Amino acid sequence: MSDLAVVILAAGQGTRMRSSRPKVLHLVAGKPMVRYAVENAAALTTRPPVVVIGVGADAVRSELGDAVSYVVQEQQLGTGHAVAQARPLLEGQADLVLVCYGDMPLLRVETLRQLVQRQEEHDGPMTILTVISEDSMGFGRVVRDQQGRVREIVEEKVATPEQLRIRELNAGVYCFQGDWLWPHLDQIQISPVGEYYLTDLIGIAVAEGQDVATYTIHDVSEVQGVNTRVHLARAEAVMRKRINERWMLAGVTMLSPETIYIDESVEIGQDTVLYPNTYLLGHTVVGRECEIGPGALLCDSRVGDHCRILSSVVEEAVVEDRCTVGPYAHLRRGAHLAEDVHMGNFGEVKNSYVGRGTRMGHFGYVGDAQVGVGVNLGAGVVTCNYDGERKHQTVIEDGAFIGSDALLVAPVRIGRGARVGAGAVVTRDIPEGKLAYGVPARVRDEEKS
Ligand code: UD1
Ligand code: CA
């Protein structure tokens, strides 16, 4: 592929979103819209894209960081003016310039690749992406002559009744010959509404006797821009469906896929089954042959193979192979269940490592704890990690048995194989192999045991 630069227009006001957040930072499948454009660019060229920012510039910068270049369009004087802002960075730099929008998250990289390829194959100065659609969506019309050659693009506002009937629409995505684009931007005249229309370049090229090429698609959803929250919800629905279908084709079973929400950044292993009302969000990774849901929410978490997670919330946690979790369990930040852990109903684990094969079947709280291998935590066991000022650690060594309703007042250590009686309040360390019970808990002395 030729040397390609990408310009992403993202300076627009987005007034109709009625939001204090810049439009392009609204999320689609958990990802800010503008990121889809940035990722498409990254798939096409190693050159960082130039993002034209204006309204909410700082917020966009802090979202995208230094993976892209920025130019600021102080006043939103139209798409032609927006592209012109990138001229100082790109003139004389790249053979081809692809222009796309930051608010068109559904556009496929394959479509862009085809568009660029079409431009590479012909001699004219540009190729425009067009879409055939019954619904005009307010898009500009592609006007052709009797030989079918593109003559101009007419904005809907100024189109004649005859032009309004044209079903071939301008998607707003273009691939230009760089050395033609930059000088010709100066030739765009200000429109009656005070904007410089990028689309005027088509008429300008034709007037020069140049050939304008098109690449046409039929899936309108790809080029639907997001201007309102209604559009946002539609884009979300299309993206969700795409993501779900991608995973189903990759070997994931979904019961009622329309009730399953998977963010773009999630990964799922083969033969995993997702039951209804399940959310896999953020950077969640789920292994193979798991059963997740119904009613599970996993966010930024890593789940191994062969796990079963029923109606539960798992946030920033790690769950290793063959664990069973829930129903109604809550794994919070820093929870790490090693292999074969069983965590039943109404349990909560936070900032704790729970060793292999440990069981906590029925309610209880494990926070700031190190729990060993093969420990049994009875119903209602609580690590009392907070003294009102600071958090303290609980250590439960391998094979310990903690009776129901025991309170372990941290900092405290339960030795290997030690046993704690039901209802005990443990305020001091229990040595290895000992039995402790009572309130406060005392260790049973050797003779009696
Ligand atoms: C534009 C096209 C229209 C096409 C439609 C497809 C022009 C004149 N018209 O119309 O033919 O059918 O896209 O979606 O180009 N932007 C800036 N700075 C500006 C103006 C716009 O960055 O000064 C950005 C916006 O944030 C947006 C994109 O450019 O992402 C498109 O702008 P918008 O005003 O929505 O163009 P349309 O009127 O929809
Ligand atoms: Ca209790």
Side-chain angles (χ1 to χ4, degrees):
M1 205 176 257
S2 337
D3 185 18
L4 175 75
V6 179
V7 177
I8 299 170
L9 305 190
Q13 188 94 46
T15 322
R16 287 188 287 155
M17 292 297 281
R18 298 190 181 277
S19 177
S20 55
R21 183 198 292 218
K23 175 165 80 172
V24 295
L25 296 187
H26 281 265
L27 306 182
V28 171
K31 191 185 284 192
M33 283 194 272
V34 68
R35 275 201 178 275
Y36 289 95
V38 170
E39 285 170 13
N40 277 347
L44 294 170
T45 170
T46 52
R47 232 175 233 289
V50 176
V51 183
V52 183
I53 49 179
V55 179
D58 291 343
V60 179
R61 274 182 211 271
S62 69
E63 169 63 37
L64 295 179
D66 51 17
V68 305
S69 309
Y70 301 94
V71 290
V72 178
Q73 185 192 25
E74 299 289 353
Q75 267 185 300
Q76 277 68 64
L77 296 178
T79 47
H81 181 257
V83 172
Q85 307 309 303
R87 186 172 178 177
L89 287 191
L90 292 179
E91 187 165 30
Q93 297 293 313
D95 302 341
L96 296 180
V97 179
L98 176 69
V99 174
C100 57
Y101 299 161
D103 58 2
M104 225 178 238
L106 299 168
L107 194 57
R108 289 188 165 90
V109 69
E110 202 37 51
T111 300
L112 293 174
R113 197 169 275 134
Q114 296 290 334
L115 179 75
V116 173
Q117 198 182 329
R118 181 64 54 90
Q119 176 55 28
E120 280 175 327
E121 287 163 2
H122 98 124
D123 299 328
M126 72 173 94
T127 304
I128 63 182
L129 182 65
T130 73
V131 59
I132 308 294
S133 165
E134 283 308 310
D135 176 3
S136 80
M137 305 176 293
F139 280 19
R141 306 298 200 274
V142 179
V143 179
R144 292 178 184 267
D145 65 16
Q146 300 201 315
Q147 284 73 47
R149 289 174 306 200
V150 175
R151 304 305 298 171
E152 59 173 337
I153 286 172
V154 180
E155 292 305 299
E156 184 166 275
K157 283 166 259 176
V158 296
T160 65
E162 195 187 339
Q163 288 168 337
L164 285 175
R165 283 196 293 275
I166 298 173
R167 295 281 68 105
E168 186 180 12
L169 313 174
N170 172 35
V173 180
Y174 320 83
C175 187
F176 295 99
Q177 206 62 51
D179 56 6
W180 186 90
L181 170 68
W182 303 115
H184 283 80
L185 282 170
D186 289 342
Q187 295 183 20
I188 298 176
Q189 303 292 312
I190 196 159
S191 78
V193 295
E195 285 193 20
Y196 296 88
Y197 290 155
L198 187 61
T199 44
D200 284 1
L201 289 179
I202 287 94
I204 291 170
V206 168
E208 281 183 350
Q210 304 255 31
D211 185 29
V212 172
T214 54
Y215 176 68
T216 303
I217 59 171
H218 296 264
D219 176 3
V220 205
S221 71
E222 264 199 78
V223 292
Q224 258 156 9
V226 171
N227 299 310
T228 67
R229 310 246 186 178
V230 175
H231 298 155
L232 186 68
R234 276 187 210 147
E236 179 82 18
V238 173
M239 189 64 82
R240 296 270 177 220
K241 194 158 179 280
R242 265 194 211 173
I243 293 170
N244 288 1
E245 286 176 1
R246 167 152 57 90
W247 287 116
M248 287 188 272
L249 292 172
V252 174
T253 296
M254 295 184 195
L255 285 83
S256 296
E258 61 285 359
T259 69
I260 291 173
Y261 299 81
I262 303 171
D263 277 353
E264 243 275 318
S265 40
V266 166
E267 285 173 47
I268 313 167
Q270 199 172 306
D271 288 318
T272 281
V273 180
L274 303 178
Y275 289 95
N277 296 319
T278 285
Y279 298 74
L280 303 181
L281 307 179
H283 294 278
T284 292
V285 179
V286 176
R288 300 164 76 95
E289 297 185 44
C290 293
E291 293 181 52
I292 313 289
L297 188 155
L298 278 59
C299 184
D300 294 323
S301 294
R302 193 154 56 78
V303 175
D305 301 336
H306 304 280
C307 290
R308 176 92 184 90
I309 302 183
L310 282 162
S311 318
S312 291
V313 175
V314 180
E315 304 164 294
E316 297 178 57
V318 175
V319 176
E320 294 190 37
D321 298 350
R322 294 177 306 277
C323 286
T324 51
V325 175
Y328 318 117
H330 191 184
L331 291 169
R332 292 168 52 205
R333 178 195 294 222
H336 185 147
L337 307 186
E339 296 175 0
D340 300 296
V341 166
H342 168 64
M343 182 180 172
N345 39 209
F346 305 107
E348 173 179 337
V349 175
K350 181 215 78 171
N351 189 33
S352 296
Y353 180 86
V354 178
R356 182 163 37 82
T358 285
R359 304 180 64 80
M360 54 179 291
H362 331 271
F363 41 100
Y365 172 60
V366 173
D368 303 303
Q370 285 291 320
V371 181
V373 172
V375 169
N376 188 87
L377 301 171
V381 168
V382 170
T383 56
C384 309
N385 59 332
Y386 187 50
D387 61 11
E389 276 174 31
R390 260 181 285 159
K391 300 285 173 67
H392 300 281
Q393 284 282 322
T394 299
V395 177
I396 304 174
E397 295 181 353
D398 296 352
F401 183 99
I402 316 296
S404 293
D405 228 6
L407 303 180
L408 311 179
V409 183
V412 73
R413 171 181 294 265
I414 313 295
R416 174 185 284 265
R419 286 173 300 151
V420 172
V425 175
V426 180
T427 54
R428 276 185 276 170
D429 292 357
I430 314 289
E432 186 175 326
K434 296 290 186 186
L435 167 67
Y437 57 94
V439 180
R442 290 174 204 285
V443 176
R444 183 153 81 174
D445 48 37
E446 300 299 343
E447 307 89 84
K448 288 184 202 159
S449 65

